[in-house]
Amino acid sequence: MSTRTLVSPAALARPRGRAVYWTVFTGVVLLFALAFLFPVYWMVTGAMKSPDEVTQTPPTLIPEHWHISGYTDAWDLMQLPQHLWNTVVQAAGAWFFQLVLCTAAAYALSKLKPAFGKLILGGILATLMVPAQALVVPKYLTVADLPLIHTSLLNDPLGIWLPAVANAFNLYLLKRFFDQIPRDVLEAAEIDGAGKLRILWSIVLPMSRPVLGVVSIFALVAVWQDFLWPLMVFSDTDKQPISVALVQLSQNIQLTVLIAAMVIASIPMVAMFLIFQRHIIAGISTGSTKG
């Protein structure tokens, strides 16, 4: 069965057809690369301009004089090391709790087949239909006065960690992947005497590394870029993450220093994506195929 494409094989066989094809292809790739990379370039170079140059009209494409003082001033004046560490603690805790509890729940719903499992899964997925803004007030009231024990989690990393656990999308993503694991593999482990937890730890988790990588990226990015919820939880400036601190400390700060702080704040997530992009793509492609 032949595959139909935009350009026929006969046209590609001719020199003129190949030249036109590769010219159009290269132009489209360069256009998309420019559209995505130019804002990054503009932000990085904007922090190296003088305060007058960054606001002048028309703007300069290349700084007339390169200044790195914007980055050093941002590092010192905006207390970036402290706020970056706060963000790392909050993101790491949310990632750990979410990975452990969502994996356990997904494994139970997929392989242990509990009573009313489909009903429970349907209720969890129904929460995806509720706008996130509608849950802000109930979450805040719960965190401010935790039921039963009546304690406050405000200005505490637990106020970020515990609400992040309830992630229906990541739970469903894990369950769908677990559904594709062959039942024969698990039954063979049961015959060898492995219990449910042993099967999860020794068989399911090693086979699920791609999807665990995707879930990890989603969990970390969600906390790293969140603004509204950390703003409500942390009134203490010294405990605020970088996303909130950039806004709170931007008063009376030069524009170039603020741009430099934004560049520094974005470096960890960009670096993490560049390092783990192969695992991300592998996890998405694996999760989209039927085993």
Side-chain angles (χ1 to χ4, degrees):
M1 182 178 178
S2 60
T3 302
R4 301 186 62 181
T5 60
L6 292 175
V7 183
S8 65
L12 288 176
R14 296 191 293 268
R16 182 178 180 182
R18 287 198 300 269
V20 172
Y21 171 80
W22 285 111
T23 300
V24 173
F25 177 79
T26 304
V28 171
V29 171
L30 291 177
L31 184 63
F32 273 92
L34 182 63
F36 284 100
L37 295 180
F38 182 77
V40 178
Y41 165 81
W42 193 257
M43 182 172 63
V44 173
T45 58
M48 298 183 180
K49 298 177 180 179
S50 64
D52 295 332
E53 185 182 359
V54 77
T55 58
Q56 76 178 27
T57 303
T60 56
L61 185 62
I62 300 176
E64 297 177 356
H65 302 283
W66 298 83
H67 305 277
I68 62 171
S69 58
Y71 290 98
T72 56
D73 291 343
W75 187 262
D76 296 329
L77 296 178
M78 304 192 73
Q79 303 174 353
L80 293 187
Q82 178 181 355
H83 295 295
L84 283 172
W85 175 248
N86 293 340
T87 311
V88 169
V89 171
Q90 295 166 23
W95 162 80
F96 175 78
F97 282 106
Q98 189 174 143
L99 203 65
V100 170
L101 297 179
C102 284
T103 300
Y107 176 69
L109 292 172
S110 175
K111 298 304 181 183
L112 303 186
K113 304 297 182 182
F116 308 107
K118 292 184 178 180
L119 182 62
I120 295 172
L121 179 62
I124 293 173
L125 295 180
T127 60
L128 294 174
M129 304 297 109
V130 181
Q133 294 80 0
L135 301 175
V136 170
V137 174
K139 282 201 304 182
Y140 180 81
L141 295 176
T142 303
V143 169
D145 185 15
L146 207 61
L148 300 180
I149 60 177
H150 299 290
T151 185
S152 175
L153 297 181
L154 298 180
N155 290 315
D156 192 313
L158 285 172
I160 301 293
W161 298 346
L162 297 184
V165 172
N167 192 305
F169 177 77
N170 285 344
L171 189 151
Y172 181 70
L173 193 64
L174 288 165
K175 180 189 178 300
R176 288 295 300 165
F177 189 91
F178 293 163
D179 289 342
Q180 298 173 16
I181 296 178
R183 185 66 188 174
D184 297 342
V185 177
L186 306 184
E187 291 177 349
E190 291 179 354
I191 293 174
D192 291 338
K196 301 298 183 183
L197 290 178
R198 182 67 176 179
I199 292 175
L200 173 63
W201 181 259
S202 301
I203 297 178
V204 175
L205 291 183
M207 296 177 65
S208 305
R209 287 177 183 173
V211 72
L212 292 176
V214 174
V215 170
S216 298
I217 296 295
F218 287 164
L220 291 172
V221 171
V223 176
W224 196 277
Q225 68 180 7
D226 196 10
F227 172 76
L228 179 59
W229 182 244
L231 177 64
M232 299 178 66
V233 172
F234 294 101
S235 59
D236 187 351
T237 306
D238 294 335
K239 297 182 179 181
Q240 289 176 344
I242 191 67
S243 60
V244 178
L246 287 179
V247 178
Q248 298 289 352
L249 301 176
S250 62
Q251 307 298 327
N252 302 321
I253 293 292
Q254 289 183 351
L255 182 58
T256 54
V257 176
L258 180 59
I259 295 174
M262 293 179 180
V263 174
I264 296 173
S266 62
I267 288 176
M269 287 295 100
V270 174
M272 184 175 64
F273 173 78
L274 294 177
I275 294 173
F276 296 105
Q277 61 175 330
R278 186 173 302 175
H279 300 281
I280 298 171
I281 297 172
I284 293 175
S285 61
T286 305
S288 63
T289 58
K290 186 67 176 178

